[in-house]
Amino acid sequence: MARILVADDEEGVRSFIAEALEVEGHTVTTAADGEEAARLLSKQGVDLLVTDLRMPGMDGLTLLRKVREEQPDVEVVVLTAVGSVESAVSAMKAGAFEYLLKPVGSPAELRLTVARALERRALLNLKTEARRSTSEVVLSWGAPTMDPVVEALRKVAPTQATVLLVGESGTGKEVAARALHQWSERSEGPFVAVNCAALTETLLESELFGHEKGAFTGAVAQRRGRIELAQGGTFFLDEVGELKAELQAKLLRVLQERRFERVGGTRTLEADVRWVAATNRDLKTMMAHGEFREDLYHRLAVFPIRLPSLRERREDLRPLSELLLRRIGEELGRPGLKLSPEASERLESFSWPGNVRELRNALERAAILADGAVVESRHLWLDPTSAPTSTPTPAVGARLPDKTLEELERMAIEQAIADEGGNRKRAAQRLGIGLRTLYDKLRRYGMQ
């Protein structure tokens, strides 16, 4: 999720935008004028600025130029009144990503524009990453269970075969997809990802295929879909098991014909992308229950690869922890953070039902709590609902002896909500997941 700054002299507009974006899990800060926005930008980094063009004192155009000069990687969306389109055009020439007419038509229109702006920022970053040496891609540090995974990825990478990555949540499926992209002949092209569980069905269709102006309420301009943005590169479809039936049928057609149309459009576009999909769901069971199309499954699972859980690759735990802690230290402005021997031992004895994602969250919390350069065992807050284990590493595909992953996840959610006094937004932050993801899990487990 992104860090977004909203600058507008109308309190109602600021509140509307902040509420619409926080529902998506974004962290939103507001400013009442250009000067306040400039001060906030100098103190904290943001991914996106949403600013009104007309404000007292420093106006939006001046703020935009300041951002372009000092923080060129920040995307900017400008707001303008209906009668000030000329000003919006000037803003676009100055480097704004897009403009929205006030009053904003709907929260959906705002969210779609913001998603597009953040997507472009991510694409620019990914193009830079794609130019790095493939030797920097590290998927394992010697865990035997990862050897066949790395070998399979390297063998399939030079082909155009569609790859399906399966495994528990947090096992690094997107990291594997990025490695596949970097080892492929498409490495100089874009790597575009979409999370099927993060958007509503209506928005997801527009995100995938794009739309024409007037295709639906709020479609004020033509938009390119993510498949179109991935031309010549790799398209990563995460959590594909969450696709609804209608979208499954449309995706199947694209996979079969390598062609698609934008929503509301008639012109057929080529889909020149390498397909990689991922899921933590049991698609075969879903097929048996009529929840997932068998023909789509066979199109996606041309080359399936299972990623082992973190508890199945304990040889990787210590070096992976050290790598993650170094990155966290750099992000926090505290390079050189290290784990004490006791902290490393505690990490290695834990079961990690949330896998790499849970490990990173635990290390980030510990880094914040640690005063010096060494993270001690006392700084590690490990979820008490996930009991440490000293049992041998389970076989591939085996369950933990006491509870299934689903039971552990449900208990963790219940505990987090209870610890935060019923506040689901803070519970999602405690769990290290987005608010929409939390709501999806609550529906799945019948906890609403």
Side-chain angles (χ1 to χ4, degrees), residues 40-56:
L40 290 170
L41 283 166
S42 67
K43 295 178 180 178
Q44 62 188 49
V46 300
D47 302 303
L48 174 69
L49 168 67
V50 180
T51 180
D52 190 11
L53 281 181
R54 291 194 174 185
M55 295 183 290

Side-chain angles (χ1 to χ4, degrees), residues 290-306:
E291 298 172 348
F292 200 85
R293 295 180 64 112
E294 184 176 354
D295 45 8
L296 176 58
Y297 172 80
H298 290 300
R299 282 285 177 178
L300 293 172
V302 175
F303 199 94
I305 299 176
R306 178 186 175 273

Side-chain angles (χ1 to χ4, degrees), residues 212-261:
E212 299 291 347
K213 181 179 179 180
F216 50 84
T217 302
V220 296
Q222 182 193 81
R223 300 286 189 184
R224 298 167 66 199
R226 296 200 185 189
I227 296 175
E228 197 172 344
L229 290 170
Q231 294 296 306
T234 301
F235 187 76
F236 177 52
L237 201 60
D238 199 6
E239 297 196 50
V240 70
E242 306 301 327
L243 280 176
K244 303 301 181 186
E246 184 178 351
L247 272 179
Q248 289 182 31
K250 292 182 178 180
L251 179 61
L252 175 64
R253 175 176 173 265
V254 180
L255 287 166
Q256 288 175 332
E257 301 178 9
R258 301 279 174 172
R259 295 181 177 88
F260 66 97
E261 292 85 35

Side-chain angles (χ1 to χ4, degrees), residues 155-172:
K155 284 187 175 181
V156 76
T159 75
Q160 296 300 314
T162 301
V163 176
L164 177 64
L165 303 170
V166 297
E168 296 176 6
S169 179
T171 50

Side-chain angles (χ1 to χ4, degrees), residues 172-240:
K173 294 187 285 293
E174 184 167 346
V175 175
R178 291 182 188 277
L180 187 69
H181 172 70
Q182 290 190 20
W183 294 337
S184 75
E185 296 177 355
R186 294 174 175 261
S187 60
E188 291 298 317
F191 176 93
V192 178
V194 64
N195 188 320
C196 299
L199 297 168
T200 64
E201 184 175 0
T202 303
L203 283 178
L204 182 57
E205 182 176 8
S206 178
E207 284 294 287
L208 289 175
F209 306 115
H211 65 256
E212 299 291 347
K213 181 179 179 180
F216 50 84
T217 302
V220 296
Q222 182 193 81
R223 300 286 189 184
R224 298 167 66 199
R226 296 200 185 189
I227 296 175
E228 197 172 344
L229 290 170
Q231 294 296 306
T234 301
F235 187 76
F236 177 52
L237 201 60
D238 199 6
E239 297 196 50
V240 70

Side-chain angles (χ1 to χ4, degrees), residues 256-296:
Q256 288 175 332
E257 301 178 9
R258 301 279 174 172
R259 295 181 177 88
F260 66 97
E261 292 85 35
R262 297 191 188 107
V263 176
T266 56
R267 186 163 65 95
T268 300
L269 304 171
E270 296 291 329
D272 177 23
V273 300
R274 165 70 173 282
W275 294 90
V276 181
T279 183
N280 60 5
R281 305 284 297 275
D282 185 342
L283 296 186
K284 290 186 177 180
T285 299
M286 292 180 67
M287 284 191 295
H289 294 154
E291 298 172 348
F292 200 85
R293 295 180 64 112
E294 184 176 354
D295 45 8
L296 176 58

